[in-house]
Amino acid sequence: MYSSTLLTSQASIGAFATNQGLLIFGWYSLFLGVVSLIPYKSITDGGLLLGIMRNNSVWKRQLVLQRLISASYQGTRPRDYDTALLEQALAHPDNSATDCYAHLYAYAHALDSKDIESVRLHLNAALDLKHLTTKLFQRHLFCEAAYCSAVLMNEPDNAQHWLKRAEQMKPLTLKEGAFTRAAVAYSVQDNETAQRLIEQCYQELDDEPDAGARIQGFDRLKELHELIKLRTAIVAKTVA
């Protein structure tokens, strides 16, 4: 009898604690939801709604960027971005990080569309605005500059310069810098290193959560791979 009563008591306490925990969690979640609707900060949902109601161009641009990000994660590759959205993202520059992000998305679109002139335009614009962004984002820009210099512009010195700038911001891990290092290795005729790094990139790109970026990434890898194979074949023929 004693053990049975004790067991029942413990079960009751456990149920009570669980119910109270769920109740507290529910009220806390509700509190966070309500707080997020208060427009006292630009990062809250309330701030976003207030900006929309005020027809604020800053908020409109941020919403446009969110739509582009969402489309990319759902599988829209950069060359298929809605050009009207890109134009809206680039409109009304306000000397903020948003300007830099907008140019980066326009750069991705141009790169995937093989519009080299626009690639230069938007990448240079993003680099000019890099000081408005985080160091991590700046490092990403430098890596893109290294890739473009190496593969699109055939400028090995500039490719090495931008890779060095990226490393100065924060050393690249083997996973982070494989593609950039492969492009730079290709530009300085180190085909063996470039090939090895490309094989590593193929394995890692499967884990990329951004579906649109993943599709473009595979195409960029394939393009660089083909360039290396072509050069290797030319060298082999010359030697023979």
Side-chain angles (χ1 to χ4, degrees), residues 29 44 59 71 235:
S29 299
T44 64
W59 288 111
V235 170

Side-chain angles (χ1 to χ4, degrees), residues 103-121:
H103 279 292
L104 185 68
Y105 271 87
Y107 156 78
H109 172 74
L111 183 65
D112 204 23
S113 303
K114 308 299 183 184
D115 183 354
I116 305 304
E117 183 177 350
S118 294
V119 165
R120 285 181 179 269
L121 172 69

Side-chain angles (χ1 to χ4, degrees), residues 190-239:
D190 187 354
N191 296 330
E192 183 178 346
T193 297
Q195 180 66 38
R196 174 175 54 79
L197 290 168
I198 283 176
E199 291 172 359
Q200 176 184 332
C201 290
Y202 274 119
Q203 297 172 1
E204 293 169 352
L205 198 55
D206 285 326
D207 298 329
E208 170 59 54
D210 186 331
R214 183 169 63 247
I215 295 170
Q216 184 190 25
F218 275 119
D219 278 359
R220 292 172 74 178
L221 280 174
K222 183 179 178 180
E223 179 186 26
L224 183 56
H225 197 181
E226 290 298 322
L227 287 172
I228 294 170
K229 287 170 60 178
L230 178 61
R231 179 189 285 168
T232 303
I234 293 173
V235 170
K237 182 180 291 188
T238 303
V239 172

Side-chain angles (χ1 to χ4, degrees), residues 83-102:
T83 54
L85 289 179
L86 288 172
E87 290 173 1
Q88 291 175 46
L90 293 166
H92 308 294
D94 57 358
N95 196 37
S96 71
T98 302
D99 297 342
C100 187
Y101 304 147

